[in-house]
């Protein structure tokens, strides 16, 4: 847990530092990347360290804390904050990936209108809307029902929603938790559909470019080649976001299966631990997949290190 928290925080701090120090990263795509990095970093700063603190407390005192599963009697305890933070950051991540996909699809399908349709103000508005809606959704079980609480689960080793049993039976509105996988899979499905459309366009353009190089489309395409072709960076970014979508879908699917089983009445203790920590580990994957594959990020990281090296030389001179 400590190693994972360290990797999440360091990786996303590097991403934010590159964005703050380099101007060419301050693009609509760069703002979305920062939103994703902040959501991931919050998991490493709040969620994982709280689990570490709880586990250490269990080992040292050998007595469960007040927020532990089954003994929580207080009206407010730390899990009331940590649980919605984890859920909200998860929803922010998937909504940001969806926005990234839409932004790249505009660049692929309408390259001449990209700067007009995708502006900084619109992206910032959508980011604020994404964060607001995500955290409202994360707190919806508490706002829409009195049948849920948040407690530290002994199986997942995290703060999770838990239904208040009535005579050892689930409350009638326990299916409210299905809002979470429904929201995520709706956005993931939309993201997948947009990616398919974008990749189809990329494949069509690649075929035309290949035929053009062979001289087969010389009379049809004219001297100017493909008139509205997307740039190479836009194509690479679209492929990167496709990988990002696949990684998030793979990491979230176990959670969706667990929630469905939990609503029905299954516990699945060992599976819940794997499901929640696989999803938490995705906060590292986002940095690796998106930031490292992005040439603008690599360029900004190089400039950042060159600037750090240049400062000692200037001080010596």
């Amino acid at each position: 847990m400590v190693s994972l928290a360290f990797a999440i925080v360091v990786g996303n701090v590097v991403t934010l530092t590159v964005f703050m120090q380099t101007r060419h990263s301050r693009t609509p795509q760069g703002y979305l990347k920062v939103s994703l990095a902040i959501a991931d970093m919050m998991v490493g700063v709040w969620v994982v360290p709280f689990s570490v603190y709880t586990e250490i407390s269990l080992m040292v005192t050998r007595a469960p804390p007040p927020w532990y599963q089954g003994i929580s009697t207080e009206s407010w305890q730390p899990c009331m904050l940590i649980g919605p933070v984890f859920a909200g950051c998860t929803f922010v991540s998937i909504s940001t990936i969806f926005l990234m996909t839409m932004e790249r699809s505009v660049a692929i399908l309408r390259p001449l209108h990209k700067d007009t349709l995708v502006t900084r103000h619109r992206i910032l508005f959508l980011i604020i809307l994404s964060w607001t809606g995500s955290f409202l959704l994360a707190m919806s079980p508490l706002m829409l029902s009195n049948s849920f609480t948040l407690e530290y689960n002994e199986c997942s080793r995290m703060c999770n929603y838990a239904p208040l049993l009535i005579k050892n039976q689930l409350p009638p509105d326990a299916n409210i938790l299905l809002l979470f996988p429904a929201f995520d899979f709706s956005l993931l499905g939309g993201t997948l559909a947009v990616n398919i459309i974008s990749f189809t366009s990329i494949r069509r353009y690649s075929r035309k470019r290949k035929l053009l190089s062979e001289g087969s489309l010389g009379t049809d395409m004219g001297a100017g080649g493909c008139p509205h072709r997307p740039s190479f960076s836009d194509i690479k970014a679209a492929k990167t976001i496709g990988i990002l979508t696949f990684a998030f879908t793979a990491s979230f699917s176990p959670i969706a299966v667990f929630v469905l089983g939990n609503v029905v009445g299954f516990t699945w203790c060992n599976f819940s631990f794997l499901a929640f920590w696989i999803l938490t580990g995705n906060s590292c994957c986002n940095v690796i997949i998106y930031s490292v594959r992005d040439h603008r990020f690599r360029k900004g990281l190089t400039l950042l290190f060159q600037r750090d090296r240049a400062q000692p030389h200037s001080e010596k001179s």
Side-chain angles (χ1 to χ4, degrees), residues 72-221:
S72 179
T73 57
E74 301 176 1
S75 59
W76 191 92
Q77 36 95 4
C79 278
M80 291 292 183
L81 173 64
I82 301 299
V85 166
F86 182 53
C89 289
T90 301
F91 299 146
V92 169
S93 294
I94 181 56
S95 59
T96 303
I97 293 173
F98 176 75
L99 292 176
M100 285 179 175
T101 304
M102 294 300 297
E103 189 266 343
R104 285 299 88 188
S105 69
V106 173
I108 296 296
L109 302 176
R110 296 289 186 270
L112 297 180
H113 303 87
K114 178 180 68 175
D115 295 333
T116 304
L117 297 175
V118 183
T119 63
R120 294 183 182 180
H121 294 290
R122 289 178 179 176
I123 289 296
L124 289 175
F125 172 76
L126 290 175
I127 289 174
I128 294 173
L129 186 64
S130 167
W131 279 80
T132 304
S134 295
F135 276 87
L136 286 176
L137 179 61
M139 294 184 293
S140 60
L142 297 178
M143 295 187 298
L144 299 178
S145 173
N146 295 324
S147 303
F148 294 93
T149 185
L150 281 153
E151 59 186 17
Y152 190 83
N153 189 276
E154 62 179 350
C155 292
S156 66
R157 304 294 178 179
M158 280 188 174
C159 292
N160 300 144
Y161 278 104
L164 299 175
L165 300 180
I166 303 174
K167 296 181 180 181
N168 294 327
Q169 293 184 349
L170 293 173
D173 54 354
N175 55 3
I176 289 179
L177 291 180
L178 294 178
L179 286 173
F180 293 176
F183 172 81
D184 279 320
F185 278 118
S186 295
L187 282 186
L188 286 172
T191 302
L192 179 62
V194 175
N195 277 326
I196 291 174
I197 295 173
S198 298
F199 290 148
T200 302
S201 178
I202 291 172
R203 185 180 179 183
R204 188 185 306 117
Y205 162 69
S206 298
R207 291 180 61 184
K208 289 182 179 179
R209 185 175 61 179
K210 181 179 179 180
L211 293 174
L212 182 63
S213 64
E214 295 174 354
S216 301
L217 294 179
T219 57
D220 297 332
M221 300 297 292

Side-chain angles (χ1 to χ4, degrees), residues 4-317:
L4 181 61
F6 178 80
I8 292 173
V9 172
V10 171
N12 288 287
V13 164
V14 169
T15 302
L16 294 174
T17 303
V18 170
F19 176 79
M20 296 299 295
Q21 297 293 329
T22 55
R23 286 189 174 183
H24 67 266
S25 297
R26 300 176 187 179
T27 60
Q29 185 183 153
Y31 287 120
L32 290 171
K33 182 170 64 177
V34 167
S35 176
L36 185 61
I38 293 175
D40 290 336
M41 189 171 64
M42 288 178 64
V43 174
V45 171
W46 291 95
V47 180
V48 182
F50 183 75
S51 294
V52 172
Y53 172 75
T54 304
E55 293 299 317
I56 293 176
S57 299
L58 289 171
M59 289 187 292
V60 172
T61 64
R62 297 188 179 276
W67 55 85
Y68 200 72
Q69 178 178 349
I71 65 173
S72 179
T73 57
E74 301 176 1
S75 59
W76 191 92
Q77 36 95 4
C79 278
M80 291 292 183
L81 173 64
I82 301 299
V85 166
F86 182 53
C89 289
T90 301
F91 299 146
V92 169
S93 294
I94 181 56
S95 59
T96 303
I97 293 173
F98 176 75
L99 292 176
M100 285 179 175
T101 304
M102 294 300 297
E103 189 266 343
R104 285 299 88 188
S105 69
V106 173
I108 296 296
L109 302 176
R110 296 289 186 270
L112 297 180
H113 303 87
K114 178 180 68 175
D115 295 333
T116 304
L117 297 175
V118 183
T119 63
R120 294 183 182 180
H121 294 290
R122 289 178 179 176
I123 289 296
L124 289 175
F125 172 76
L126 290 175
I127 289 174
I128 294 173
L129 186 64
S130 167
W131 279 80
T132 304
S134 295
F135 276 87
L136 286 176
L137 179 61
M139 294 184 293
S140 60
L142 297 178
M143 295 187 298
L144 299 178
S145 173
N146 295 324
S147 303
F148 294 93
T149 185
L150 281 153
E151 59 186 17
Y152 190 83
N153 189 276
E154 62 179 350
C155 292
S156 66
R157 304 294 178 179
M158 280 188 174
C159 292
N160 300 144
Y161 278 104
L164 299 175
L165 300 180
I166 303 174
K167 296 181 180 181
N168 294 327
Q169 293 184 349
L170 293 173
D173 54 354
N175 55 3
I176 289 179
L177 291 180
L178 294 178
L179 286 173
F180 293 176
F183 172 81
D184 279 320
F185 278 118
S186 295
L187 282 186
L188 286 172
T191 302
L192 179 62
V194 175
N195 277 326
I196 291 174
I197 295 173
S198 298
F199 290 148
T200 302
S201 178
I202 291 172
R203 185 180 179 183
R204 188 185 306 117
Y205 162 69
S206 298
R207 291 180 61 184
K208 289 182 179 179
R209 185 175 61 179
K210 181 179 179 180
L211 293 174
L212 182 63
S213 64
E214 295 174 354
S216 301
L217 294 179
T219 57
D220 297 332
M221 300 297 292
C226 300
H228 304 305
R229 61 183 184 274
S231 65
F232 174 77
S233 61
D234 291 334
I235 294 176
K236 186 176 181 180
K239 293 179 179 179
T240 301
I241 295 172
I243 298 174
L244 196 70
T245 305
F246 174 78
F248 190 90
T249 304
S251 62
F252 180 77
S253 296
I255 288 285
V257 174
F258 170 74
V259 172
L260 290 173
N262 198 22
V263 170
V264 174
F266 294 102
T267 303
W268 293 342
C269 188
N270 294 331
F271 179 73
S272 68
F273 176 82
L274 293 174
F276 277 95
W277 286 96
I278 287 174
L279 181 61
T280 306
N282 180 261
S283 297
C284 290
C285 295
N286 292 341
V287 178
I288 297 172
I289 294 174
Y290 190 77
S291 298
V292 174
R293 280 180 55 91
D294 186 1
H295 73 281
R296 289 186 175 182
F297 176 82
R298 293 196 298 270
K299 184 177 180 181
L301 191 61
T302 303
L303 294 174
L304 184 63
F305 279 110
Q306 289 177 349
R307 186 178 304 174
D308 293 338
R309 291 179 180 179
Q311 288 179 355
H313 290 293
S314 62
E315 291 175 358
K316 290 180 181 180
S317 61

